[in-house]
Amino acid sequence: MTVVTDTPHAEASAETEAHTSPKNTRKTPDTTPEETAGVRRRRALPGGRLLIGAVVPLVLLATWYGVTAAGVFTPVQLPAPQAVLTAGVELFERGDLTHHIAISVQRVLLGFAVGAGLGLVIGSLLGLSKIADALLQPTIGAFRAVPSLAWVPLLILWMGIYEDSKVTLIAIGAFFPVFTAVHSALRHVDPQLVEAGRAFGFHGVRLLTTVQLPAVVPSVFSGLRLGLAQAWLFLVAAELIASSMGLGFLLTDSQNNGRTDRLLLAILLLAILGKLTDALLGVLERKALKTWG
């Protein structure tokens, strides 16, 4: 009977193998300790992304103040920031500013809801049906090229100067980006994913809501955010329709009266409100991506 005993050579081999095994192999870090510490500091900083995003607006505000203080422009051409703030306080104390903001937000939200809803429905129809796509796509593509102001006389003739015509114009502006995004995304859904859904017994509306729409959530929300931005753009054109209230009216009224301070105030409010509504839609997008993404 042969007895196998450990030898120094075997011990050396085992030791070498232990040192060179994957478990004991250390990878060289891709980042230096300084870079890692910097990342940790940025993550630990509360509201860091918000603070970074505020840098450019603060620089622009400081530049605006410096230019006006140096007298580069006349007060009619470019009022100082404090003059715009004073104009806003005056309108707020009279109760006009809150009314302007409220009526504009109401018009945008109503128009966006109608236009985005129709964009989702019709975009889904054309994205899923080749017959509907061949029948309606050329017509919708032609109407998409019509400028916003071209609709104003027709809407006044059909609906008068009341709220219906304004909301309809905003809905037209919101419709096309949403329709285009949904239609294009559904046309490019992975066919194998659709077949897998059908294999599980999903058809028609259930297939759309369970398989196809969740597959295009990022594209849908991109279209919704573009549609919301377009709704704010169309608001100004909508409030040209014999409007007596709203931020669009405040723009044109300030221009006619030479109140550049109020004109800049209206522009700033449109930018702030547009960003706020877009941020709210971004929150919904993140929740949808966690659910269906």
Side-chain angles (χ1 to χ4, degrees):
M1 180 176 180
T2 303
V3 178
V4 179
T5 59
D6 293 335
T7 62
H9 177 73
E11 291 178 356
S13 300
E15 185 178 356
T16 304
E17 183 178 354
H19 281 291
T20 59
S21 62
K23 292 182 179 180
N24 294 321
T25 302
R26 293 184 179 179
K27 294 178 67 178
T28 303
D30 294 333
T31 57
T32 63
E34 292 79 6
E35 291 175 344
T36 304
V39 171
R40 289 176 180 173
R41 283 196 297 270
R42 287 195 293 272
R43 289 177 179 174
L45 183 64
R49 186 177 180 85
L50 183 63
L51 292 175
I52 293 173
V55 170
V56 173
L58 290 175
V59 169
L60 291 175
L61 181 62
T63 304
W64 178 12
Y65 179 82
V67 166
T68 54
V72 177
F73 298 98
T74 66
V76 175
Q77 292 175 319
L78 183 64
Q82 56 268 30
V84 175
L85 180 61
T86 301
V89 171
E90 290 176 356
L91 288 173
F92 178 77
E93 291 176 347
R94 288 165 44 184
D96 291 342
L97 186 62
T98 53
H99 200 179
H100 285 310
I101 293 173
I103 195 68
S104 290
V105 171
Q106 175 183 299
R107 286 166 178 164
V108 166
L109 294 182
L110 285 174
F112 174 71
V114 174
L118 289 174
L120 285 170
V121 172
I122 299 177
S124 299
L125 176 64
L126 271 65
L128 298 174
S129 172
K130 293 182 179 180
I131 296 176
D133 183 56
L135 183 66
L136 297 176
Q137 171 62 17
T139 303
I140 294 176
F143 280 123
R144 183 170 48 199
V146 177
S148 59
L149 290 177
W151 295 103
V152 173
L154 185 62
L155 292 176
I156 292 177
L157 180 64
W158 284 355
M159 301 179 178
I161 60 175
Y162 305 106
E163 286 298 301
D164 291 346
S165 57
K166 300 176 180 63
V167 172
T168 300
L169 182 60
I170 296 171
I172 291 172
F175 169 81
F176 289 107
V178 178
F179 163 80
T180 302
V182 174
H183 170 258
S184 177
L186 286 174
R187 297 295 290 175
H188 295 89
V189 172
D190 187 357
Q192 295 181 355
L193 186 64
V194 177
E195 289 301 323
R198 287 173 179 162
F200 280 99
F202 298 150
H203 299 282
V205 176
R206 193 178 178 190
L207 179 66
L208 173 66
T209 57
T210 307
V211 176
Q212 292 166 308
L213 280 182
V216 297
V217 165
S219 297
V220 169
F221 272 94
S222 294
L224 288 173
R225 297 179 82 162
L226 288 173
L228 181 60
Q230 194 82 339
W232 282 106
L233 292 175
F234 273 56
L235 171 72
V236 177
E239 291 181 340
L240 292 175
I241 307 177
S243 179
S244 59
M245 293 300 297
L247 294 175
F249 165 77
L250 183 60
L251 273 173
T252 54
D253 183 67
S254 301
Q255 179 190 11
N256 294 334
N257 294 321
R259 293 297 304 268
T260 317
D261 52 352
R262 293 184 179 179
L263 191 149
L264 288 174
L265 174 66
I267 292 174
L268 290 174
L269 288 173
L270 286 169
I272 293 170
L273 291 171
K275 178 57 183 174
L276 287 176
T277 52
D278 180 75
L280 291 175
L281 196 56
V283 172
L284 294 177
E285 180 181 6
R286 287 190 290 273
K287 290 183 178 180
L289 288 173
K290 287 181 180 178
T291 304
W292 292 308

